[in-house]
Amino acid sequence: MAKKRFAQVGLGGRSWMYTSAVMDRYPDVCEMVGFCDINPGRLKMRVSWAADTGREVPGYEAKDFERMVAEQKPDCVIVTSGPDVTHSDYIRRAMELGCDVITEKPMTTDEIRCRKIIETQKATGRKCTVTFNYRYSPPRTQIKDMLMSGVIGDVQSVDFHWLLNTHHGADYFRRWHRNKRNSGGLMVHKATHHFDLVNWWLSAVPTKVFAMGHRKFYTPATAERAGLTKRSERCLDCPEAGKCSFHVDMRSNESLRDLYLENEHHDGYIRDRCVFSDQIDIEDSMNVVVEYDTGAKLSYSLNAFTPWEGYMIAFNGSKGRLEHVCQESVYINGDGTVPGELINEGTHTRVFPHFQTSYSVDLWTGTGGHGGGDDPLLADLFAVDPPKDKYLRAADERSGAYSILTGVAANHSMASGQAVRIAELVPGLRRPDYPPMPTDEDPIEMVKPNVKLVGAHEAGELKKQQVAAKQGG
């Protein structure tokens, strides 16, 4: 059987996962036939790495992307380029040249580019896969499984709060993500993961969005309040390095030094800009309300300066409530550590049935990046004949579009102060393929309550009895 031929464009921090999967995990069925990057230094690093392991993979500068496709004839192009705004051009051109596409999230950054991708896919018939690894994380798949089972009935509202800590969250304000023209802001770049999870968990698509947001932490004023009065525009050799908690020393981190510091003279990209710069134009705190085609409503928040990393989510259904809390490891992109690994002690799920006693659920667990989602995602992408997936976790351009459009609509809403309808951004967008879910037409069984309502005095007496029992034990 002939190996499937892959070419990859964009060789920054996130790209390595795909390179190693093609060349090291699945070499019997996959072959890397070309690398492409805007930075000649990073391109040389990747080509040299392949050569050092006995494999010759030609490298092409970004301006020669079409020549790479013509000469190497890949079956599929992997798009891991940065900034995010560059994704759409590579996705569309690869499909026009006869290739399938695997792209990192977000698929693109605004509704205009999104429309063009949808139109190109329709015209070419090529396959476009968007890599939502969080769908594959065992605890998140378990939530989908529980919702599909009907344990809380049909979901009517969702409360979702995502926390980015002062390591990972701050890092978005150092890099190209700090400007909306590059990333769409955190509402697109980061929240595309979260909005896709909700779409998939509910088997629903967003219809209307209202949002508010601001940047009040990563500002010059915060730096002044902290006494950082002599800061420079980047961390490297900043006079305040000794007392700034947000300082990043790229010289001391081999991965960051090799990938970025030693290659910045090629393209001028500065990886360690000051998080308190006045050149930042994205929000660091956002609140969003979303309506879905099932009638469900979402209340969502994202804050990028919290002490711990992870999320809290609660689903309110016709038969009860499901609560899920997840804590993730600390990292910054490209530093050589595992991104978003689960902290088991801080992760738990609990079900609260109507009129019944609540109970904890034993977690499905996994190891590795993004809560254990990276490895099963890679198997789905690159293994031959992956097993049938009842959760339909593989995502195409429709899921990629709906995931970003909630964030795009949120950006428009924050700017206008008005709610934004998704159908006005990309008219006629088809619904993705999702598993069936409980609906508001399903019967609800009335159960006899096994919990007792008590007054304040009786509750106090019960509490005393519980404390005494624990002390006696």
Side-chain angles (χ1 to χ4, degrees):
M1 181 179 67
K3 296 182 180 181
K4 190 170 184 178
R5 298 169 63 84
F6 292 89
Q8 186 172 12
V9 56
L11 303 174
R14 185 65 182 147
S15 69
W16 178 250
M17 182 180 84
Y18 300 93
T19 300
S20 59
V22 170
M23 300 184 68
D24 294 333
R25 293 193 185 191
Y26 300 99
D28 294 340
V29 294
C30 298
E31 180 181 8
M32 187 68 76
V33 299
F35 292 127
C36 182
D37 196 86
I38 196 171
N39 187 297
R42 284 197 296 273
L43 179 61
K44 183 179 179 180
M45 283 179 62
R46 194 63 56 89
V47 170
S48 297
W49 168 82
D52 290 344
T53 57
R55 295 165 291 190
E56 299 298 325
V57 181
Y60 296 80
E61 293 189 19
K63 63 183 178 62
D64 297 320
F65 173 76
E66 293 189 16
R67 182 164 68 86
M68 176 184 72
V69 174
E71 291 179 356
Q72 302 305 324
K73 297 179 173 54
D75 301 303
C76 181
V77 172
I78 303 170
V79 178
T80 47
S81 60
D84 294 338
V85 71
T86 65
H87 289 183
S88 60
D89 287 343
Y90 289 123
I91 292 170
R92 292 172 55 222
R93 195 66 190 118
M95 290 193 291
E96 289 169 347
L97 293 171
C99 303
D100 292 335
V101 173
I102 294 171
T103 181
E104 253 293 340
K105 65 82 194 168
M107 188 172 74
T108 189
T109 56
D110 60 42
E111 71 273 24
I112 296 172
R113 291 179 174 86
C114 182
R115 282 190 217 126
K116 290 180 178 179
I117 291 173
I118 298 299
E119 291 166 358
T120 302
Q121 190 283 324
K122 184 177 180 180
T124 63
R126 304 309 307 185
K127 182 179 180 181
C128 179
T129 301
V130 185
T131 55
F132 288 122
N133 40 22
Y134 271 125
R135 293 187 180 193
Y136 293 81
S137 168
R140 285 92 175 193
T141 302
Q142 183 182 23
I143 296 300
K144 179 63 175 177
D145 185 81
M146 294 173 68
L147 295 174
M148 289 172 62
S149 76
V151 66
I152 62 166
D154 55 295
V155 176
Q156 300 179 6
S157 68
V158 183
D159 298 301
F160 194 6
H161 307 288
W162 201 286
L163 293 76
L164 295 172
N165 71 2
T166 44
H167 292 275
H168 184 205
D171 207 40
Y172 292 114
F173 297 83
R174 297 186 184 101
R175 301 180 284 157
W176 49 258
H177 311 72
R178 59 176 15 206
N179 298 120
K180 281 198 177 183
R181 67 177 182 273
N182 293 327
S183 65
L186 293 178
M187 278 287 88
V188 173
H189 174 82
K190 185 59 182 176
T192 184
H193 262 320
H194 316 155
F195 296 139
D196 175 71
L197 275 175
V198 176
N199 296 348
W200 173 67
W201 273 329
L202 301 184
S203 291
V205 296
T207 57
K208 188 164 63 173
V209 177
F210 177 78
M212 300 177 70
H214 58 232
R215 186 177 79 261
K216 289 192 175 181
F217 186 84
Y218 296 107
T219 66
T222 299
E224 295 292 322
R225 290 170 61 190
L228 305 174
T229 59
K230 298 178 181 179
R231 62 195 179 278
S232 63
E233 178 52 28
R234 66 177 303 182
C235 289
L236 197 73
D237 300 323
C238 177
E240 301 285 19
K243 63 179 181 180
C244 180
S245 302
F246 293 88
H247 178 257
V248 169
D249 182 5
M250 291 205 296
R251 292 190 185 98
S252 67
N253 184 289
E254 182 180 1
S255 179
L256 294 177
R257 183 186 68 238
D258 293 349
L259 198 58
Y260 296 106
L261 183 59
E262 294 184 357
N263 288 310
E264 65 183 33
H265 65 280
H266 290 292
D267 57 9
Y269 175 54
I270 306 300
R271 170 67 177 77
D272 63 340
R273 294 191 182 276
C274 179
V275 301
F276 301 115
S277 171
D278 61 3
Q279 298 178 25
I280 298 168
D281 63 13
I282 64 172
E283 299 82 10
D284 59 21
S285 182
M286 295 134 277
N287 295 81
V288 186
V289 177
V290 185
E291 180 180 69
Y292 292 86
D293 63 348
T294 60
K297 307 294 188 295
L298 165 70
S299 175
Y300 169 86
S301 70
L302 173 61
N303 288 281
F305 49 89
T306 60
W308 62 274
E309 178 109 353
Y311 63 87
M312 300 170 285
I313 190 165
F315 302 86
N316 300 301
S318 57
K319 296 180 181 180
R321 176 179 170 95
L322 189 160
E323 295 183 357
H324 175 57
V325 177
C326 177
Q327 192 170 353
E328 296 183 347
S329 62
V330 174
Y331 75 101
I332 64 173
N333 185 271
D335 69 354
T337 60
V338 177
E341 191 166 24
L342 283 179
I343 298 176
N344 290 331
E345 296 80 7
T347 302
H348 55 85
T349 300
R350 193 169 188 86
V351 177
F352 297 80
H354 284 165
F355 307 111
Q356 302 292 307
T357 304
S358 66
Y359 57 92
S360 295
V361 176
D362 291 336
L363 287 174
W364 296 1
T365 60
T367 59
H370 294 91
D374 284 348
D375 287 349
L377 165 70
L378 294 172
D380 209 9
L381 292 174
F382 301 118
V384 175
D385 297 325
K388 187 176 181 180
D389 181 11
K390 73 175 184 178
Y391 305 112
L392 301 183
R393 289 173 291 186
D396 62 14
E397 72 286 346
R398 296 169 297 170
S399 291
Y402 276 114
S403 73
I404 66 162
L405 287 174
T406 304
V408 170
N411 282 335
H412 285 302
S413 180
M414 286 189 287
S416 68
Q418 304 295 317
V420 176
R421 293 189 177 277
I422 298 296
E424 295 174 357
L425 299 177
V426 180
L429 180 61
R430 293 181 299 121
R431 209 173 189 273
D433 298 326
Y434 290 131
M437 299 289 288
T439 73
D440 58 7
E441 296 182 354
D442 296 337
I444 299 175
E445 180 184 359
M446 288 286 105
V447 296
K448 184 177 181 180
N450 69 355
V451 292
K452 181 182 179 183
L453 296 177
V454 298
H457 175 73
E458 189 175 353
E461 291 300 315
L462 288 171
K463 182 67 174 179
K464 290 179 183 177
Q465 293 173 18
Q466 291 172 350
V467 171
K470 286 183 179 180
Q471 293 174 343

